[in-house]
Amino acid sequence: MFPCPACQGDVELGERGLAGLFRNLTLERVVERYRQSVSVGGAILCQLCKPPPLEATKGCTECRATFCNECFKLFHPWGTQKAQHEPTLPTLSFRPKGLMCPDHKEEVTHYCKTCQRLVCQLCRVRRTHSGHKITPVLSAYQALKDKLTKGLTYILGNQDTVQTQICELEEAVRHTEVSGQQAKEEVSQLVRGLGAVLEEKRASLLQAIEECQQERLARLSAQIQEHRSLLDGSGLVGYAQEVLKETDQPCFVQAAKQLHNRIARATEALQTFRPAASSSFRHCQLDVGREMKLLTELNFLRVPEAPVIDTQRTFAYDQIFLCWRLPPHSPPAWHYTVEFRRTDVPAQPGPTRWQRREEVRGTSALLENPDTGSVYVLRVRGCNKAGYGEYSEDVHLHTPPAPVLHFFLDSRWGASRERLAISKDQRAVRSVPGLPLLLAADRLLTGCHLSVDVVLGDVAVTQGRSYWACAVDPASYLVKVGVGLESKLQESFQGAPDVISPRYDPDSGHDSGAEDATVEASPPFAFLTIGMGKILLGSGAGSNAGLTGRDGPTAGCTVPLPPRLGICLDYERGRVSFLDAVSFRGLLECPLDCSGPVCPAFCFIGGGAVQLQEPVGTKPERKVTIGGFAKLD
């Protein structure tokens, strides 16, 4: 183990210890240049001359010594191996020409990016660095030199900024000293205030005990006097004895009438004796356990911990609703700061700019008018008297791809109001087939009329792009969610077709026999088929174009039903997109005839339920789910 000179932490050097480390030749060169600058004007003497030494004229890296001319010739004779040593300028220290690998004693030629270590040729082919990213030293040198030069240029070009920051730090030091002294005074004052309150309380409690003690002593003294009067020859007894000696009957009666009552009371007190006051003061005992615990736990107020964003209740629709909570053992927060920004905009130079909502009370916030088709990142932090706490983890929310269309459900065009139950707020509908469906199922083999129940929205789209979302009960038998031309929907579903009877013509809703004339026309309906918690995705638009489509899902597949479905209508393009309203992942895109007003539509075969997503500003605390439909029209 070796202590790090920077942080004093222990570093494990390995089995070889310091021998396994590279020499810091850069630092050696810096030291050498410093020594030479210190010894400027001073001559470098020959290290091999006999005293007095002559001034050195040559140096030898191999011999690591300085020589005068004669000594250099003497120690490098002609015809020997030392004669091949290359002379250098005289110096006070000698360094090798390059770094040598401590393991193989060869010059390093490559740099391992994975290990961040210089390696030689032998290290490179060894198993230790197999699979590592190894680059030539020249490439590492150029890359690191460019980075260092760039960083140094930036620092040198911002010397004014450095000086400004130094001034800010010095001001922070002065402010810290002043604030620390103020904090000490505040704590001392508060503790003195606690002491004053305790002293005042002590005086009042002692005064209460003193008053109680005096009152009890008075009562006991009076009782002692009464009992002393009962002794023979004193007080009441003596007076009674003297009265009994009276022989004059009228006088006796006059004196004994009042004396008898006093004797009776004294007799009763003697028979039922008990002290007039308790000598115990247990009722004056103090329970200071809670106060002692509070004083023991007396500490500085901590800032609130990082809030936890409730992702189950946080969502984006027409507005963004953000909900959070503090961790269980976090200090309370007086208010919160909500920060948000878009992540899908081009990055601007400088620090990232967040939009803020300051001093938010409660644990939820409503962000109005978000941009459509965007991704927002949001975070929260709490604040109390101690200051601001840490930020929560960032949460990313997708906003709808188009402006949200608000509408209510309208059952005027439904086949049977008895089988459809619409909630009072007209935001939810449930199909209740009841006995008619059972009777129809009983006559399936003979052919029966099983109608389709339809609910439309009370608005129609005639331009632009619109988006809405709904939740379908996973237990629904068969539900179709989509849009269609208002005229075609009313025409088709006022008299519902027979979808089970053999007499049902599946081609009745599309053409009049001219296949070539209608092959390019967009369908008047676009529906997504949901049943038993699954979504049926056909091979083309025809499989979901409508209940009366020609083509079945010849190559269809199913995907799990998400918690909410989103429908995006592009009226100008004549396209309808079905999305997962939670992740905004596309499920299906269909063409649609937009030659007239287009209405949202929901179709039911058998039991099922649909809940429209409510606007965020209406009931922000309510989670949009397909909960029970208890209150229905």
Side-chain angles (χ1 to χ4, degrees):
M1 305 299 292
F2 187 81
C4 175
C7 65
Q8 300 302 319
D10 290 336
V11 180
E12 186 175 356
L13 300 180
E15 297 180 356
R16 302 190 58 191
L18 294 175
L21 300 179
F22 287 101
R23 293 178 61 191
N24 194 340
L25 296 181
T26 303
L27 183 59
E28 290 184 7
R29 295 190 186 104
V30 172
V31 173
E32 180 182 351
R33 287 196 294 270
Y34 175 75
R35 287 178 176 175
Q36 290 178 353
S37 63
V38 170
S39 61
V40 171
I44 301 176
L45 302 179
C46 177
Q47 297 177 347
L48 280 302
C49 284
K50 294 181 180 180
L54 300 178
E55 183 178 352
T57 58
K58 293 182 177 60
C60 180
T61 304
E62 300 294 335
C63 299
R64 301 179 63 83
T66 56
F67 304 88
C68 61
N69 289 332
E70 297 298 328
C71 290
F72 187 82
K73 295 178 182 178
L74 179 63
F75 285 91
H76 297 80
W78 181 262
T80 62
Q81 186 176 2
K82 287 187 176 183
Q84 300 178 2
H85 292 182
E86 182 179 355
T88 62
L89 294 175
T91 181
L92 296 175
S93 62
F94 295 90
R95 54 179 175 81
K97 295 181 180 180
L99 284 178
M100 308 299 291
C101 176
D103 296 329
H104 306 103
K105 304 303 179 184
E106 291 192 5
E107 187 176 357
V108 294
T109 56
H110 290 77
Y111 179 74
C112 178
K113 293 183 178 180
T114 306
C115 301
Q116 297 185 358
R117 180 182 175 87
L118 292 164
V119 295
C120 64
Q121 288 288 354
L122 292 178
C123 294
R124 182 185 177 189
V125 299
R126 294 296 173 89
R127 189 177 299 176
T128 308
H129 298 277
S130 61
H132 291 188
K133 293 182 179 180
I134 298 178
T135 182
V137 169
L138 179 61
S139 300
Y141 162 79
Q142 192 63 43
L144 290 174
K145 187 174 182 179
D146 292 343
K147 290 180 180 179
L148 184 60
T149 303
K150 184 178 179 181
L152 186 59
T153 302
Y154 177 82
I155 292 176
L156 293 177
N158 291 271
Q159 292 297 294
D160 295 339
T161 304
V162 174
Q163 188 62 40
T164 302
Q165 293 177 356
I166 291 174
C167 295
E168 291 180 2
L169 291 173
E170 292 176 348
E171 181 63 27
V173 169
R174 290 190 292 270
H175 183 69
T176 301
E177 294 175 350
V178 175
S179 300
Q181 188 62 33
Q182 291 178 353
K184 291 178 182 179
E185 294 177 358
E186 290 178 1
V187 169
S188 300
Q189 184 177 359
L190 289 174
V191 173
R192 284 195 299 268
L194 289 176
V197 171
L198 287 175
E199 184 62 28
E200 182 179 354
K201 193 66 176 177
R202 183 186 71 86
S204 63
L205 291 175
L206 292 180
Q207 179 66 25
I209 294 175
E210 180 68 22
E211 293 176 357
C212 180
Q213 182 183 17
Q214 294 299 327
E215 187 267 338
R216 289 187 181 186
L217 289 175
R219 290 167 60 185
L220 290 173
S221 298
Q223 191 177 22
I224 290 174
Q225 293 298 328
E226 290 179 0
H227 278 67
R228 284 178 177 175
S229 66
L230 300 180
L231 295 176
D232 184 17
S234 64
L236 180 62
V237 174
Y239 177 66
Q241 290 174 350
E242 293 298 328
V243 170
L244 287 174
K245 295 177 181 179
E246 181 65 46
T247 57
D248 188 357
Q249 295 180 0
C251 293
F252 177 81
V253 172
Q254 182 182 9
K257 183 178 180 180
Q258 295 180 353
L259 182 60
H260 172 70
N261 294 332
R262 294 178 62 189
I263 291 294
R265 289 195 300 269
T267 303
E268 183 181 359
L270 190 61
Q271 292 174 352
T272 61
F273 170 76
R274 65 175 181 178
S278 173
S279 61
S280 174
F281 279 82
R282 291 186 178 180
H283 69 287
C284 294
Q285 297 295 320
L286 289 178
D287 182 11
V288 295
R290 183 170 60 91
E291 288 74 10
M292 290 296 293
K293 182 179 179 181
L294 291 176
L295 289 175
T296 303
E297 295 177 352
L298 186 63
N299 206 338
F300 297 110
L301 180 64
R302 296 185 295 121
V303 297
E305 296 183 12
V308 179
I309 295 181
D310 189 349
T311 56
Q312 298 298 322
R313 299 175 60 194
T314 296
F315 60 96
Y317 194 44
D318 55 336
Q319 302 174 65
I320 294 178
F321 177 65
L322 182 64
C323 184
W324 64 87
R325 65 181 184 275
L326 284 176
H329 302 291
S330 170
W334 293 356
H335 55 81
Y336 297 89
T337 297
V338 178
E339 297 187 355
F340 59 96
R341 63 180 176 87
R342 285 181 55 182
T343 61
D344 53 349
V345 295
Q348 300 293 333
T352 304
R353 295 186 177 272
W354 292 79
Q355 300 183 53
R356 288 185 176 86
R357 288 275 303 275
E358 301 285 354
E359 297 188 3
V360 177
R361 307 293 176 176
T363 57
S364 63
L366 194 63
L367 306 181
E368 300 177 350
N369 302 322
D371 297 332
T372 59
S374 303
V375 180
Y376 281 83
V377 57
L378 304 99
R379 63 185 186 181
V380 188
R381 63 174 177 173
C383 178
N384 57 19
K385 189 177 181 180
Y388 284 96
E390 295 292 332
Y391 283 103
S392 65
E393 293 186 1
D394 295 349
V395 60
H396 293 75
L397 290 181
H398 294 258
T399 56
V404 173
L405 178 68
H406 297 300
F407 61 90
F408 298 96
L409 299 175
D410 188 356
S411 62
R412 289 177 300 172
W413 308 108
S416 174
R417 295 186 180 182
E418 297 178 355
R419 294 194 298 268
L420 290 179
I422 298 179
S423 62
K424 290 184 178 180
D425 60 358
Q426 294 182 283
R427 306 287 301 178
V429 59
R430 167 173 282 184
S431 175
V432 188
L435 184 61
L437 181 62
L438 297 178
L439 297 177
D442 187 54
R443 298 191 298 271
L444 275 176
L445 296 179
T446 60
C448 67
H449 182 85
L450 182 60
S451 61
V452 178
D453 298 320
V454 180
V455 178
L456 304 182
D458 63 350
V459 298
V461 180
T462 58
Q463 63 180 354
R465 300 175 72 237
S466 301
Y467 174 86
W468 62 93
C470 64
V472 179
D473 189 351
S476 301
Y477 179 70
L478 181 60
V479 176
K480 285 182 174 284
V481 177
V483 294
L485 282 173
E486 184 179 19
S487 58
K488 293 295 183 179
L489 287 170
Q490 297 174 5
E491 177 184 345
S492 300
F493 296 116
Q494 276 182 337
D498 185 356
V499 298
I500 295 182
S501 173
R503 298 185 296 275
Y504 168 61
D505 181 12
D507 225 12
S508 59
H510 271 261
D511 54 38
S512 58
E515 287 289 333
D516 296 338
T518 60
V519 68
E520 297 296 335
S522 298
F525 316 127
F527 286 98
L528 191 66
T529 304
I530 302 107
M532 296 302 181
K534 299 289 185 180
I535 299 177
L536 176 63
L537 300 178
S539 59
S543 62
N544 287 284
L547 293 176
T548 58
R550 288 191 303 273
D551 304 325
T554 56
C557 63
T558 61
V559 295
L561 176 66
R564 294 191 302 274
L565 287 172
I567 300 94
C568 184
L569 170 63
D570 192 334
Y571 191 87
E572 275 72 22
R573 293 180 58 230
R575 306 291 295 182
V576 177
S577 301
F578 297 92
L579 312 169
D580 180 344
V582 178
S583 63
F584 287 92
R585 177 177 57 91
L587 299 174
L588 184 67
E589 185 175 355
C590 304
L592 180 67
D593 183 4
C594 293
S595 58
V598 176
C599 288
F602 306 90
C603 305
F604 296 89
I605 298 178
V610 172
Q611 166 82 53
L612 296 180
Q613 182 166 344
E614 296 181 350
V616 177
T618 304
K619 294 180 180 180
E621 292 294 339
R622 179 176 176 183
K623 182 182 178 183
V624 180
T625 60
I626 192 67
F629 300 87
K631 297 181 180 180
L632 301 175
D633 290 335

